[in-house]
C-alpha cells in the first residue's frame, strides 16, 4: 500500500470530501454543491449523503458540466460496541449487492425509528408525520432522520432554526430520542472493501456527538479489518482529539482526511472549511474502484 506522508497541520488547499445534499439532510442540490465548490476554488468535492447513493448521478452530471473534480461517497451509519459511528465510504461500486442491502436495511430502520419518534413528539408539539415527510426534498429517495423532524418543528414555529431543535426536542438526550439500529462498524468496513471502496471514520473525536468516543483499541481493530483512514480535520474534533487521531493514524498507517460536513443552510458548517490534501485524495482514488470525475 502506498504511504501518504501526512502533515500534522490542516491543509490550506485541497478537497472537501464530506458534503451532504437534499438526498439526505442537506438543504441544497448536488448541482449547487458543485457550483459552490467552483465558487470557492476547491480542488474537488465528494458527495457523501447519509446511507444512500441517490445523489451520485446528479452530482456526476454537474461535476462534468462544471469541470469540478468529484469523488462519490456515502456517510454510513454504524455502531461499534455501543458507540455510534459515522463512516465515509468512498469510490465503491454502487451496484454491489452487499452494500445495497446494507443501505436498504438502514433506511428501513431509519424510517421506522423516525416515525416512532414523531409519534411521541406529536403528543407534545404541533407536528404530524406528514409534516415531517413534507421536509424530505426528494421524497422517498431522501434518507430520512432527525433533521427532517427538526425542520418540521421549525416550520411549525416551535424553534427558530434546525440547530435549536437539535438542542431541544430532537436532541439525542431528549426523552423522545430513539437510536437508529445500525450495522457494526466492522461490517461497514468489510462491506465497503468488498464493494471496492475506501472507508474512513468520520468526526471520530467529536465529544458533541458521543458521550463515549471510539477508543484507540476500537480504532486499531477497525484498522486491522481494513479501515482506510480517519477524518481528523473536522470542526467537531477538538485539538486534543486531533492529536490523538493523528498519532493513531501514523501508528496504524491510516489516511488523514478533512471535510466540512456541509449541510447547506442546515448547519453552520461552511463548504471547504476543512479539507483533504490532494495527495491523500489521489491515494483514495488509487485504492477505490471508480474513476474520479475530473
Ligand atoms: P439521525 O441520523 O437521524 O439521528 O440524525 C442525526 C444527524 O443530524 C447527524 O448526521 C447530523 O449530521 C444531522 N444534522 C443535520 N443538521 C444538524 C444540526 N443543525 N445540528 C445537529 N445535527 C444536525
Ligand atoms: Fe447529516
Ligand atoms: Fe456524521
Ligand atoms: Zn456528515
Amino acid at each position: 500500500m502506498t504511504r501518504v506522508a501526512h502533515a500534522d497541520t490542516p491543509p490550506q488547499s485541497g478537497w472537501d470530501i464530506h458534503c451532504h445534499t437534499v438526498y439526505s439532510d442537506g438543504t441544497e442540490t448536488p448541482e449547487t454543491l458543485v457550483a459552490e465548490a467552483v465558487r470557492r476554488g476547491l480542488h474537488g468535492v465528494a458527495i457523501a449523503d447519509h446511507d444512500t447513493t441517490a445523489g451520485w448521478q446528479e452530482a456526476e452530471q454537474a461535476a462534468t458540466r462544471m469541470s469540478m473534480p468529484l469523488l462519490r461517497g456515502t456517510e454510513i451509519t454504524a455502531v461499534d460496541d455501543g458507540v455510534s459511528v459515522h463512516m465515509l465510504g468512498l469510490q465503491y461500486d454502487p451496484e454491489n449487492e452487499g452494500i445495497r442491502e446494507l443501505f436498504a436495511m438502514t433506511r428501513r430502520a431509519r424510517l421506522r425509528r423516525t416515525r416512532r419518534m414523531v409519534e411521541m413528539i406529536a403528543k407534545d408539539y404541533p407536528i404530524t408525520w406528514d409534516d415531517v415527510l413534507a421536509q424530505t426534498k426528494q421524497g422517498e429517495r431522501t434518507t430520512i432522520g432527525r433533521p427532517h423532524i427538526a425542520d418540521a418543528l421549525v416550520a411549525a414555529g416551535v424553534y427558530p432554526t434546525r440547530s435549536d431543535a437539535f438542542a431541544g426536542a430532537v436532541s439525542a438526550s431528549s426523552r423522545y430520542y430513539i437510536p437508529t439500529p445500525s450495522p457494526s462498524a466492522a461490517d461497514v468496513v468489510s462491506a465497503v472493501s468488498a464493494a471496492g471502496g475506501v472507508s474512513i471514520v468520520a468526526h471520530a473525536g467529536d465529544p458533541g456527538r458521543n458521550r463515549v468516543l471510539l477508543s484507540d483499541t476500537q480504532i486499531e481493530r477497525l484498522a486491522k479489518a481494513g479501515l482506510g483512514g480517519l477524518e481528523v480535520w473536522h470542526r467537531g474534533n477538538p485539538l486534543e482529539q486531533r492529536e490523538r487521531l493523528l498519532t493513531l493514524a501514523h501508528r496504524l498507517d491510516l489516511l488523514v482526511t478533512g471535510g466540512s460536513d456541509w449541510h447547506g443552510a442546515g448547519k453552520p458548517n461552511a463548504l471547504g472549511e476543512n479539507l483533504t490534501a490532494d495527495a491523500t485524495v489521489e491515494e483514495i482514488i488509487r485504492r477505490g474502484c471508480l474513476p474520479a470525475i475530473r
Side-chain angles (χ1 to χ4, degrees), residues 197-209:
V198 178
S199 58
I200 290 158
V201 181
H203 42 68
D206 183 352
R209 277 195 81 246

Side-chain angles (χ1 to χ4, degrees), residues 187-289:
D187 283 351
V188 171
V189 168
S190 304
V192 172
S193 297
V198 178
S199 58
I200 290 158
V201 181
H203 42 68
D206 183 352
R209 277 195 81 246
N210 291 90
R211 246 173 310 128
V212 180
L213 294 172
L214 274 183
S215 68
D216 290 7
T217 313
Q218 283 173 294
I219 292 173
E220 190 165 355
R221 233 185 283 130
L222 293 176
K224 290 209 176 96
L227 179 73
L230 297 175
E231 185 182 54
V232 174
W233 316 120
H234 183 285
R235 67 156 64 198
N237 295 335
L239 197 58
E240 71 275 10
Q241 284 300 323
R242 293 174 184 211
E243 282 167 4
R244 175 176 82 102
L245 296 172
L246 280 173
T247 304
L248 274 170
H250 283 297
R251 179 159 70 77
L252 303 170
D253 198 22
L254 295 170
L255 300 173
V256 169
T257 72
S260 65
D261 213 347
W262 184 70
H263 283 70
K267 270 190 180 181
N269 311 27
L271 189 70
E273 70 175 25
N274 278 295
L275 296 168
T276 302
D278 295 337
T280 307
V281 172
E282 290 310 321
E283 179 59 17
I284 291 170
I285 294 165
R286 202 190 61 73
R287 291 185 196 177
C289 78

Side-chain angles (χ1 to χ4, degrees), residues 18 20 50 75 203 261 263:
H18 186 165
H20 297 264
H50 296 280
E75 188 173 16
H203 42 68
D261 213 347
H263 283 70

Side-chain angles (χ1 to χ4, degrees), residues 19-61:
C19 309
H20 297 264
T21 75
V22 287
Y23 285 95
S24 61
D25 53 352
T27 60
E28 307 302 325
T29 61
E31 184 171 11
T32 301
L33 164 63
V34 172
E36 248 330 83
V38 171
R39 202 176 66 77
R40 290 179 183 260
L42 302 184
H43 295 178
V45 277
I47 183 168
D49 279 309
H50 296 280
D51 305 306
T52 188
T53 58
W56 284 18
Q57 211 187 345
E58 262 181 61
E60 285 161 37
Q61 285 163 357

